[in-house]
Amino acid sequence: MTDKELARLEFAKNSLHDRPQDKIHESVTIEQSARIGKDGFGFARDVDGTLVKVNHAGNVVIEKNVEIRAFVTVDRAVNGNTIIGQGTKIDHHCHIAHNVKIGKWNTLANGTVIEGSCEVGDFNTFGANVVVQRKVKIGSNCKFGSGAVVTKDVPDNSIMVGNPARKLEKKNVIWPIVEPMTVTVTEPSLKEWVNRVNEDIEKPVTPEKLVEHWGKWTGQENQTHDDLAL
Ligand SMILES: CC(C)(COP(=O)(O)OP(=O)(O)OC[C@H]1O[C@@H](n2cnc3c(N)ncnc32)[C@H](O)[C@@H]1OP(=O)(O)O)[C@@H](O)C(=O)NCCC(=O)NCCS
């Protein structure tokens, strides 16, 4: 059995819903309770008020190094593909609806919902329980505060909070430690840096250790564990 076939088998075992039509890169991590490629939530209301199911003939594409955590659902497209771009990390209980296209290296914290046919660029950070309403287009390098409800298209480099989401003009927004993109790493390379951090932190990781390391990495000393909003 080739590595690729083995990866495929792992995927089938873990996601409990393997569709050969979906293209899942072999480097993708999918936690056991996630569901990938089920039909989207699409019903048309008939004249008599009853609901008719909309056929979902499309697929899911998940690019390399994506991480999908517990209870995440990624629905397949009506036509074409629902796409999760390279390196994107999706936390527990997120939902990615039919025909959504998410770009590269985004983080979606727990409970975030991206409604149908939305388009998301690269390097965005979504806090907990963000809702992006259907067909909204989001640029790149944006941040969304927890609970933001995004009703309109969002240009590159925006920080959005609230319901309906508004632009936060404040500079120097400090994102908690769970968000690596707030740390600009020039030396060593990001990969080396992550390896070093992983080796450096003693296990089990205590809140004190995290605070100490956060200070070391970012120069932001004197923070408490609460400041890091973990
Ligand atoms: C957006 C965020 C990063 C801003 O943090 P901050 O720089 O400390 O911002 P402040 O607390 O100074 O708030 C600035 C303003 O934005 C408002 N604001 C901040 N976060 C908000 C949010 N999520 N929703 C609505 N308003 C928010 C504040 O009330 C304040 O408004 P004011 O100027 O009218 O008083 C932070 O609030 C946030 O939402 N983080 C998400 C964390 C998260 O979800 N992590 C994943 C956990 S698993």
Side-chain angles (χ1 to χ4, degrees):
M1 190 178 282
T2 65
D3 283 353
K4 203 166 182 175
E5 284 167 334
L6 197 66
R8 194 74 214 167
L9 201 68
E10 278 302 303
F11 170 68
K13 197 177 70 189
N14 287 338
S15 77
L16 306 177
H17 190 79
D18 188 23
R19 301 171 71 247
Q21 309 91 305
D22 293 335
K23 292 188 173 56
I24 319 280
H25 192 271
E26 59 205 32
S27 61
V28 168
T29 307
I30 300 173
E31 283 191 27
Q32 204 168 17
S33 53
R35 291 291 183 279
I36 311 298
K38 292 183 82 78
D39 54 346
F41 192 60
F43 296 90
R45 200 174 285 282
D46 212 336
V47 282
D48 63 356
T50 58
L51 294 167
V52 182
K53 199 169 177 65
V54 174
N55 186 34
H56 282 69
N59 301 311
V60 171
V61 172
I62 305 185
E63 296 178 0
K64 62 183 176 183
N65 296 327
V66 167
E67 200 164 316
I68 295 181
R69 308 192 71 200
F71 301 104
V72 167
T73 43
V74 181
D75 287 349
R76 70 176 184 263
V78 176
N79 284 307
N81 296 308
T82 301
I83 302 174
I84 314 285
Q86 181 185 348
T88 287
K89 314 297 179 196
I90 306 182
D91 195 12
H92 306 147
H93 291 276
C94 289
H95 176 62
I96 314 299
H98 45 194
N99 293 74
V100 165
K101 292 181 177 32
I102 296 184
K104 301 181 198 319
W105 302 105
N106 294 282
T107 59
L108 282 66
N110 46 292
T112 286
V113 173
I114 312 289
E115 295 182 7
S117 302
C118 287
E119 289 177 28
V120 175
D122 305 327
F123 308 114
N124 297 293
T125 302
F126 294 84
N129 289 313
V130 174
V131 175
V132 183
Q133 288 186 345
R134 68 193 280 271
K135 295 195 174 172
V136 163
K137 289 187 175 59
I138 287 171
S140 294
N141 294 308
C142 299
K143 293 184 193 305
F144 297 87
S146 44
V149 177
V150 186
T151 57
K152 294 182 181 145
D153 292 357
V154 177
D156 292 350
N157 304 312
S158 306
I159 300 172
M160 306 293 292
V161 294
N163 178 6
R166 64 177 169 93
K167 198 163 177 179
L168 186 64
E169 297 299 344
K170 186 185 170 192
K171 302 268 183 281
N172 302 325
V173 168
I174 296 172
W175 210 265
I177 197 166
V178 285
E179 177 41 72
M181 290 306 293
T182 49
V183 185
T184 306
V185 183
T186 48
E187 190 65 39
S189 74
L190 181 60
K191 203 168 165 198
E192 286 166 11
W193 177 77
V194 169
N195 286 341
R196 194 187 290 179
V197 167
N198 285 343
E199 279 166 18
D200 213 14
I201 292 187
E202 288 163 27
K203 294 189 174 76
V205 179
T206 61
E208 293 72 28
K209 273 277 165 210
L210 280 177
V211 172
E212 185 192 324
H213 280 266
W214 176 253
K216 250 201 263 178
W217 304 331
T218 64
Q220 292 162 2
E221 306 288 353
N222 306 321
Q223 301 240 22
T224 67
H225 190 243
D226 282 348
D227 291 334
L228 301 184
L230 286 170

